[in-house]
Amino acid sequence: MPIATVNPANGETLKTYEAMGEEELERRLQLAQATFRTYRTSALAERARLMERAAGLLDEDAPEIARVMTTEMGKPVKQARAEAAKCARAMRWYAGHAEALLADEEPAEADVKDSGASRALVRYRPLGPVLAVMPWNFPLWQVVRFAAPALMAGNVGLLKHASNVPQTALYLEDLFHRAGFTEGCFQTLLIGSGAVDEILRDERVKAATLTGSEPAGRAVASTAGEMVKKTVLELGGSDPFVVMPSADVDRAAEVAVTARVQNNGQSCIAAKRFVVHTDVYDRFTERFTEGMKALKVGDPLEEDTEVGPLASERGRADLEELVDDARRGGAGVLCGGERPEGPGWYYPPTVLAGVTREMRIHREEAFGPVATVYRAADLDEAVLIANDSPFGLSSNVWTRDEAEVDRFVRDLEAGGVYVNGMTASHPALPFGGVKRSGYGRELSGHGIREFCNITTVWHGA
């Protein structure tokens, strides 16, 4: 895949870039290693100052970088500006909380004595250069939620971004440099996916994080396992959105529309499978379908656009194949389901009903504005349908019954359970999944410690 900006609204190639050669890659790896030797000992207060500066610059740059993101991958420009603002908030959150999150921990005095020590503690130390393999769908946020905690912990970052968002990738390197971070603290590697394996095998790279497809995750995990290197993987999701009779059905249907089509439906944590109790199925499905039909699809640079184009022609073709397979299997198309005429990689908001386990869309992630609606006879069946997926990233539950909430929290196979609201990531809350959605956690204290050497320090009596 070429490293290029191709506008998904019209298919026009705007900029192309040459992949970095071996000599430049070697220079950057040497720089990362050398920078880490000194940056790892820098004061947390100084790291926080630089991170605050980066956040301020991002706020200033938001209108411009939002248009770049929209032009590169098609998200509505209002959502792109919101993404930039979210990144700045996360930077500030880690700048303000890293010292407490990384503070030394001391076991209970009785346990210290029992270990034969006069004193014992746990210290969090950085690992070194961390390779981040990142996707295009949230081209700023996916990177910042790795970079902010990693840099605050004293690590340095090497970014291999998706090949269709090179301008955003280069902007991120420039942002941290302008903020005052030493040149080697955060570097963008303009390389194809084929070069990832060799870089991950390099002894100077100490760990890796990847957000992307399951095949990409398997490849990185395999190499990292062979090299015995730490990884954090977030590999997508097909999140359930469960609606029970006690819920505010109208509100649930309204939120469901946003939960499905955020980022043009190209979000790992977007709700994709809507599991509705039979008592409220007809009412919810009618209102949800009406909401999906009413969305404005169009030029993502226009302020009132709600759904823009998919990021790539291949992505649209993959989505069409899932819908066509379901239609051939007998699923009903309540709205959408047909490619519009004209330029750009647009696909309409689509609702499918009557989906069965034999259909591909039941077990594969639909990465675009396509929803599947399931009817559940009771709570037990709702849980069974929700868990009948190879993925387990997050989940949404709508009910006013606290006993039902407890049951869903206990039994749903997911990294998050959001009650009477839609899944959203926040720097204070851990983010990640189970099953084929990956392992490890980003964000919160859990995320900043993922790439730390958790060190036991023991003093003899």
Side-chain angles (χ1 to χ4, degrees):
M1 182 178 181
I3 300 173
T5 296
V6 182
N7 188 343
N10 55 28
E12 180 183 356
T13 299
L14 302 177
K15 286 189 177 184
T16 59
Y17 297 83
E18 291 291 328
M20 291 177 176
E22 291 185 7
E23 185 176 328
E24 177 63 10
L25 284 175
E26 174 60 23
R27 185 189 74 81
R28 286 174 176 259
L29 287 168
Q30 289 182 10
L31 180 60
Q33 182 184 46
T35 301
F36 175 66
R37 292 193 189 105
T38 54
Y39 182 70
R40 64 186 293 274
T41 63
S42 61
L44 264 167
E46 175 61 10
R47 297 176 205 165
R49 185 187 70 81
L50 297 176
M51 193 62 67
E52 288 276 4
R53 174 62 177 151
L57 290 171
L58 181 53
D59 281 336
E60 294 173 10
D61 298 341
E64 180 181 353
I65 191 57
R67 290 183 66 86
V68 170
M69 285 192 285
T70 295
T71 303
E72 290 201 305
M73 54 70 58
K75 71 172 71 224
V77 70
K78 287 175 66 174
Q79 295 181 28
R81 288 198 299 269
E83 181 175 338
K86 181 175 184 176
C87 291
R89 289 194 298 272
M91 290 175 173
R92 293 188 173 99
W93 191 89
Y94 273 108
H97 290 80
E99 185 173 6
L101 296 174
L102 297 172
D104 291 348
E105 297 178 7
E106 297 195 11
E109 184 177 351
D111 292 328
V112 173
K113 290 181 178 179
D114 190 56
S115 76
S118 61
R119 184 186 177 213
L121 58 90
V122 176
R123 178 161 295 172
Y124 296 97
R125 298 186 292 159
L127 291 179
V130 179
L131 174 65
V133 183
M134 293 289 112
W136 47 261
N137 58 332
F138 291 94
L140 276 184
W141 173 242
Q142 302 279 13
V143 179
V144 167
R145 75 184 191 191
F146 145 74
L151 289 170
M152 287 305 302
N155 296 298
V156 301
L158 295 164
L159 170 65
K160 188 282 180 223
H161 217 325
S163 294
N164 61 330
V165 290
Q167 293 185 69
T168 307
L170 292 170
Y171 167 80
L172 284 158
E173 178 179 21
D174 180 64
L175 173 68
F176 287 113
H177 185 63
R178 283 188 291 136
F181 286 93
T182 304
E183 183 184 3
C185 282
F186 186 92
Q187 300 180 81
T188 288
L189 308 180
L190 285 184
I191 56 175
S193 58
V196 170
D197 186 78
E198 182 179 353
I199 294 172
L200 188 52
R201 291 180 183 277
D202 193 293
E203 291 293 343
R204 291 166 291 191
V205 175
K206 301 304 182 184
T209 179
L210 176 142
T211 298
S213 69
E214 187 181 336
R218 288 180 184 274
V220 165
S222 177
T223 298
E226 183 181 342
M227 301 304 294
V228 197
K229 294 183 180 181
K230 176 68 179 291
T231 53
V232 170
L233 303 180
E234 193 262 273
L235 307 180
S238 190
D239 292 2
F241 188 107
V242 182
V243 183
M244 298 299 288
S246 66
D248 181 339
V249 176
D250 291 341
R251 176 60 179 160
E254 179 185 358
V255 173
V257 173
T258 302
R260 183 63 203 98
V261 302
Q262 59 176 311
N263 207 48
N264 303 339
Q266 300 166 123
S267 170
C268 299
I269 57 171
K272 300 182 177 78
R273 298 177 297 126
F274 296 83
V275 183
V276 188
H277 192 283
T278 188
D279 290 353
V280 293
Y281 177 90
D282 291 340
R283 179 179 168 191
F284 172 87
T285 302
E286 179 183 357
R287 283 159 175 72
F288 177 52
T289 303
E290 289 173 352
M292 293 284 277
K293 285 181 180 177
L295 293 165
K296 180 181 178 182
V297 180
D299 183 349
L301 287 173
E302 293 183 1
E303 291 292 329
D304 59 347
T305 291
E306 294 170 295
V307 180
L310 299 188
S312 70
E313 189 172 16
R314 179 69 257 175
R316 180 172 68 173
D318 290 344
L319 194 65
E320 285 180 307
E321 289 175 10
L322 291 180
V323 173
D324 290 345
D325 174 78
R327 184 187 283 117
R328 287 192 299 270
V333 181
L334 304 185
C335 69
E338 297 291 340
R339 176 195 293 206
E341 295 182 359
W345 300 314
Y346 291 91
Y347 197 81
T350 298
V351 180
L352 302 178
V355 171
T356 65
R357 299 187 79 250
E358 292 71 32
M359 298 172 189
R360 288 178 54 199
I361 201 166
H362 178 77
R363 61 184 183 274
E364 298 180 28
E365 181 179 18
F367 218 57
V370 175
T372 54
V373 185
Y374 297 79
R375 186 190 296 266
D378 52 28
L379 185 149
D380 289 336
E381 187 175 22
V383 171
L384 286 173
I385 296 172
N387 287 340
D388 190 21
S389 169
F391 299 103
L393 188 55
S394 189
S395 61
N396 310 258
V397 174
W398 288 74
T399 176
R400 294 185 174 116
D401 186 322
E402 286 302 316
E404 290 181 349
V405 171
D406 290 343
R407 173 74 186 281
F408 283 120
V409 171
R410 185 191 75 183
D411 290 348
L412 287 179
E413 297 167 351
V417 180
Y418 284 69
V419 181
N420 297 327
M422 60 179 264
T423 299
S425 53
H426 185 280
L429 300 173
F431 179 85
V434 295
K435 302 196 288 189
R436 292 187 185 178
S437 287
Y439 53 75
R441 292 294 181 266
E442 297 177 284
L443 303 176
S444 77
H446 297 279
I448 197 172
R449 298 182 192 117
E450 284 280 9
F451 295 116
C452 285
N453 176 356
I454 304 173
T455 308
T456 296
V457 181
W458 186 93
H459 295 262

